[in-house]
Amino acid sequence: MANRKAAVKRRIISKDGHNNVRIDNVEGMVRLYLHDIWTTVVDMKWRYKLTLFASTFVMTWFLFGVIFYFISLGNGDFETGSNSSHTPCLMNVQSLTGAFLFSLESQTTIGYGFRYITEECPLAIFTLVAQLVITGLAEIFVTGAFLAKLARPKKRAETIKFSQLAVICRHHGKLCLMVRVANMRKSPLIQCQLTGKLLHSNVTEEGEKTQVYQRSVDFHVDSSSECPFLILPITFYHILDEHSPLAGLNVENLHTREFELLVTLNATMESTAAMCQSRTSYTPQEILWGYDFQPVLFSSTGGRYVADFKFFDKVQVINNPALVSSNTEKQKLEENYKNE
């Protein structure tokens, strides 16, 4: 019994939308990641990205500082008995520390004027030019990846909230599975589309067993358009008819069937026109039969609508006519607002 519960709770997508699939035994994984270095750097966690950002500067300063040190060493600048007429490659550089400071000052264009290159060493001049070109490209790459991660629509998707539970009840006379979605920011999301995937094991006619089989689940919304304007909490529903992948689901077998319902919301940010995607999943234990969501949208005395998220995840039983009729006020309010 314990093994069965563990198998039911196993999920591919977590509630917060993260991928729970671990990738193992991929040949040449490091080479694949380095081949697409831009995506690798952008996808890095912040602690690694900050380390890379800082180490890019420090390592290039030190690397070219060592090169300048050996150039001066080869030119005999550190010999104590040098002729007074000897012109060093780098003025006022007497050690590795001085070469490092010269590299730092040159790369950051500080230019204190105390350390500088003379005309006697073309190799030092060429090294300085190479340093500015190479480090400039490296800084552009790292800074661009840093800004790209800050501007990723993934952060905007974190402000999209899904209901913790899904419910099954009658909607417009049809048995429907319903989920609630809300935008946590005032900036609206446009062209919103909710899609679903039913993930379950399957056995083909040839007897081949597929551990994870995907079937599309269509979701609809009570609106004149299938691309609603997400500025208030909206309830999406899937009709449980003979064409549904969940056909045959009933109150008796709901918690005995093994599946995972992956729900994905694709939307466009009005401010930047960038696409964002947010997802979650529901297991049979997170689907309630004979319940509906409590009203979350209210009207205030000042003529404004108020979305009270205290009721966002709350549900109510609808097994009697009184509860069903009390639900019509919420539906009319949401429908009128979406049709405006």
Side-chain angles (χ1 to χ4, degrees):
M1 186 66 180
N3 293 335
R4 180 175 181 81
K5 289 183 178 180
V8 172
K9 292 182 180 180
R10 185 171 58 242
R11 59 204 310 159
I12 295 177
I13 299 296
S14 63
K15 292 297 292 182
D16 55 2
H18 289 89
N19 186 0
N20 284 337
V21 178
R22 187 180 66 186
I23 301 176
D24 284 338
N25 302 322
V26 178
E27 185 178 355
M29 176 66 78
V30 176
R31 179 177 56 84
L32 293 175
Y33 273 71
L34 292 178
H35 187 265
D36 187 13
I37 189 64
W38 171 258
T39 305
T40 301
V41 175
V42 172
D43 288 341
M44 277 184 177
K45 294 183 178 180
W46 277 111
R47 55 181 177 269
Y48 301 132
K49 189 178 294 294
L50 292 172
T51 302
L52 177 65
F53 186 80
S55 61
T56 299
F57 290 95
V58 176
M59 292 303 296
T60 52
W61 295 338
F62 180 76
L63 176 62
F64 282 96
V66 171
I67 295 176
F68 284 122
Y69 174 78
F70 280 108
I71 291 176
S72 298
L73 186 64
N75 192 49
D77 297 346
F78 302 146
E79 296 179 4
T80 57
S82 298
N83 194 336
S84 59
S85 61
H86 175 75
T87 304
C89 290
L90 302 177
M91 295 296 297
N92 301 313
V93 174
Q94 304 297 330
S95 62
L96 180 60
T97 303
F100 173 78
L101 291 174
F102 172 77
S103 175
L104 186 154
E105 295 167 11
S106 299
Q107 187 171 325
T108 56
T109 65
I110 293 177
Y112 291 128
F114 181 70
R115 301 176 183 88
Y116 57 91
I117 295 179
T118 63
E119 300 176 358
E120 299 298 324
C121 290
L123 180 59
I125 298 175
F126 174 80
T127 303
L128 178 62
V129 173
Q131 178 185 11
L132 297 180
V133 173
I134 294 173
T135 57
L137 293 175
E139 291 171 9
I140 290 173
F141 179 85
V142 176
T143 305
F146 196 90
L147 295 176
K149 189 173 182 66
L150 286 174
R152 290 182 73 180
K154 181 179 179 180
K155 294 301 180 182
R156 180 62 175 91
E158 294 178 357
T159 58
I160 298 174
K161 183 177 178 64
F162 291 92
S163 58
Q164 292 294 316
L165 301 172
V167 297
I168 296 178
C169 61
R170 289 203 169 272
H171 184 69
H172 295 315
K174 298 179 181 180
L175 192 64
C176 299
L177 183 147
M178 309 173 70
V179 298
R180 179 180 275 174
V181 185
N183 177 18
M184 306 298 290
R185 286 183 176 269
K186 286 189 175 181
S187 57
L189 295 171
I190 59 178
Q191 297 180 352
C192 301
Q193 292 183 338
L194 191 76
T195 59
K197 289 289 184 181
L198 186 67
L199 310 177
H200 60 94
S201 59
N202 182 59
V203 179
T204 63
E205 296 180 357
E206 295 77 16
E208 180 182 357
K209 184 176 181 180
T210 304
Q211 188 171 2
V212 179
Y213 183 74
Q214 301 185 27
R215 299 180 65 183
S216 297
V217 179
D218 298 327
F219 279 90
H220 308 279
V221 63
D222 292 331
S223 175
S224 58
S225 172
E226 290 300 321
C227 297
F229 189 62
L230 188 58
I231 197 173
L232 77 161
I234 295 180
T235 301
F236 291 84
Y237 62 90
H238 167 72
I239 302 175
L240 298 175
D241 54 13
E242 64 275 7
H243 303 293
S244 169
L246 292 169
L249 189 68
N250 54 53
V251 65
E252 288 81 13
N253 64 12
L254 173 60
H255 290 166
T256 59
R257 293 183 59 172
E258 297 182 8
F259 64 85
E260 180 180 351
L261 178 61
L262 171 61
V263 179
T264 304
L265 180 73
N266 296 294
T268 302
M269 293 184 292
E270 186 186 49
S271 56
T272 61
M275 292 290 297
C276 67
Q277 184 181 93
S278 183
R279 66 184 70 88
T280 189
S281 69
Y282 299 93
T283 59
Q285 289 72 25
E286 297 166 344
I287 300 176
L288 301 180
W289 189 286
Y291 287 78
D292 194 7
F293 293 111
Q294 289 189 8
V296 69
L297 189 65
F298 306 93
S299 57
S300 64
T301 56
R304 302 178 64 182
Y305 291 102
V306 177
D308 192 346
F309 281 88
K310 180 176 64 176
F311 301 98
F312 184 81
D313 289 316
K314 292 187 177 182
V315 296
Q316 60 188 9
V317 182
I318 56 169
N319 55 2
N320 60 73
L323 289 175
V324 176
S325 60
S326 66
N327 218 28
T328 57
E329 181 180 354
K330 177 200 71 172
Q331 294 176 358
K332 289 181 180 179
L333 185 60
E334 292 186 353
E335 290 175 8
N336 292 336
Y337 186 84
K338 288 179 281 188
N339 291 332
E340 290 180 355

